[in-house]
Amino acid sequence: YVPARDVEVLKQRGLKVDSTSAARSNFLQFDTSHDKAPGVADKSGNPIANPFKDKRVRQALTMATDRQFLAQKILLGYGTAAAQPFPSGLPGTSANLKVQAPDYEGAKALLAEAGFPDGFNVVLAGPAGRYPGDAESLQAIAQNWAHIGIGVKPIVAPFSVFAPKRSNGEYPVWYGGCSGEAVTTCLDGLLASPNDERGTGSLNYGGYRNEAFDRMLAAAETIEEGPQRNDALARATEFVMADYPMIPLYHFHLIVGYGPKVASYVVH
């Protein structure tokens, strides 16, 4: 696997380089379960009630995130801006979910409607070096959110430090990743309510719950593999993403390079 920053040097050496979008996504996840989330304060530094329990705040931050910039500039074009957990076109994904350009004025209006006309301050956490562009993405997102009055303090740490803090509920918003052999892997793990009996919610560190979505997802998963199941999963995805439980950022690309002794190689 080749880092995007090395592609041009390898091409200059005569190596062939190919890439494809990975069946995975990187995203921001919110703490939606606690009445007070650590690392959130008003502009004077005083703790406030958890703003991420309000859909309007989650939507505003989504509207203020320039996902195309992340894919093109942070990932050097070796990434696809994301509007859902899996890349569009794979079985069970929705063709109707599209990435929108940032709308800072609309986002500010939503924040004001939610009671935050001046914004607020928040910690944005993530791992360093675990995923392509992880730490750099946090810096870019902080600049995006500054346009709507959100003061962001990015915190990056080795994954061994970041992961237990995330699990312990020490962050209000954080960067994560999910991959799998099917779209249901991420729908079950990230967005379904934690449920030991169903085996869902393993990656739902923010405690997001949407019972209507849970029912739609469970019903879709009872359908035999094929177009009807895929359509049901797509409709469930559209339904839950309209509640803005997370901010899909991008699907980074797998990049491979090979020399003259390799006739061809199919990236998948």
Side-chain angles (χ1 to χ4, degrees):
Y1 296 111
V2 175
R5 63 180 178 272
D6 293 342
V7 168
E8 289 308 313
V9 173
L10 294 177
K11 285 183 176 179
Q12 291 170 13
R13 290 180 171 180
L15 275 75
K16 296 179 181 178
V17 176
D18 198 4
S19 68
T20 191
S21 181
R24 66 171 305 122
S25 66
N26 289 92
F27 49 82
L28 297 185
Q29 209 169 10
F30 302 105
D31 179 341
T32 61
S33 62
H34 295 100
D35 292 332
K36 284 195 174 181
V40 184
D42 63 19
K43 287 305 184 74
S44 299
N46 302 309
I48 58 175
N50 184 356
F52 306 118
K53 293 174 76 73
D54 191 322
K55 169 191 168 181
R56 294 169 296 184
V57 174
R58 303 192 301 267
Q59 182 177 356
L61 295 183
T62 302
M63 292 168 64
T65 303
D66 192 343
R67 290 173 274 183
Q68 294 288 5
F69 176 88
L70 298 178
Q72 294 302 313
K73 300 300 183 181
I74 302 298
L75 298 183
L76 304 178
Y78 287 95
T80 302
Q84 57 189 312
F86 254 36
S88 179
L90 293 180
T93 59
S94 169
N96 298 322
L97 293 172
K98 308 288 186 182
V99 175
Q100 303 296 324
D103 178 2
Y104 298 123
E105 293 306 313
K108 284 193 287 188
L110 271 177
L111 281 182
E113 186 181 312
F116 301 99
D118 300 319
F120 52 85
N121 295 335
V122 65
V123 166
L124 176 58
R130 180 173 177 84
Y131 305 104
D134 47 16
E136 297 86 349
S137 292
L138 299 191
Q139 296 290 341
I141 293 165
Q143 294 176 25
N144 289 163
W145 291 2
H147 289 294
I148 62 171
I150 305 297
V152 178
K153 180 181 179 181
I155 293 180
V156 296
F159 189 75
S160 59
V161 175
F162 163 79
K165 287 179 176 289
R166 176 186 60 184
S167 299
N168 292 336
E170 297 183 32
Y171 300 130
V173 193
W174 56 91
Y175 176 107
C178 181
S179 64
E181 295 182 353
V183 66
T184 50
T185 304
C186 291
L187 295 178
D188 281 330
L190 284 173
L191 299 176
S193 301
N195 185 313
D196 291 339
E197 185 176 331
R198 287 197 62 228
T200 58
S202 60
L203 299 175
N204 188 351
Y205 299 107
Y208 174 75
R209 291 180 180 273
N210 185 324
E211 293 182 0
F213 168 69
D214 290 339
R215 291 192 294 270
M216 292 178 71
L217 180 59
E221 291 176 337
T222 65
I223 303 172
E224 186 178 353
E225 292 283 349
Q228 186 179 354
R229 175 188 172 98
N230 292 338
D231 184 66
L233 290 170
R235 300 295 81 76
T237 301
E238 292 170 4
F239 178 83
V240 73
M241 294 310 297
D243 197 32
Y244 298 90
M246 58 183 282
I247 304 179
L249 298 177
Y250 46 70
H251 313 289
F252 68 73
H253 294 183
L254 301 175
I255 310 171
V256 299
Y258 52 93
K261 293 183 179 181
V262 179
S264 65
Y265 184 82
V266 177
V267 193
H268 59 85

